[in-house]
Amino acid sequence: MSYDDVEIEDMEWNEELKAYTYPCPCGDLFQITKDDLRLGEEIARCPSCSLYITVIYNIEDFLGDNDKSKNKSLEPAKQQPISVA
């Protein structure tokens, strides 16, 4: 069972960790990355103890231009016609 339900707006972005964080009662921080959120993950874990929280967020807020550009790179390249002499 989750220690708490926390809205993403109540978490802080930590540039050094590249993760959203929230204070844990043990003194460390619950952490969840943007990549985790894009994948639909909703559990932020504390690296120092066994507690975790459920993050409440809208996944569409994290599916932006980055995913669109990644999808473009997955598309097959268009073949160019070859001239034969």
Side-chain angles (χ1 to χ4, degrees):
M1 186 169 152
S2 177
Y3 169 73
D4 200 1
D5 293 344
V6 178
E7 299 215 15
I8 192 77
E9 292 84 9
D10 295 331
M11 299 181 78
E12 290 187 25
W13 175 252
N14 183 313
E15 188 63 35
E16 185 178 325
L17 296 173
K18 301 286 188 207
Y20 285 95
T21 61
Y22 190 78
C24 179
C26 79
D28 205 343
L29 297 169
F30 294 106
Q31 303 174 21
I32 191 165
T33 66
K34 287 182 181 179
D35 286 339
D36 291 336
L37 295 168
R38 283 186 193 109
L39 292 172
E41 180 63 59
E42 58 185 25
I43 300 298
R45 301 183 187 284
C46 176
S48 296
C49 72
S50 62
L51 294 178
Y52 61 92
I53 57 173
T54 302
V55 180
I56 301 168
Y57 72 104
N58 184 348
I59 192 170
E60 293 172 0
D61 293 341
F62 293 90
L63 299 177
D65 295 331
N66 291 345
D67 284 353
K68 290 177 185 172
S69 63
K70 286 180 186 174
N71 288 342
K72 284 183 182 176
S73 65
L74 296 177
E75 293 175 5
K78 293 181 181 176
Q79 293 183 349
Q80 298 293 325
I82 299 173
S83 301
V84 180

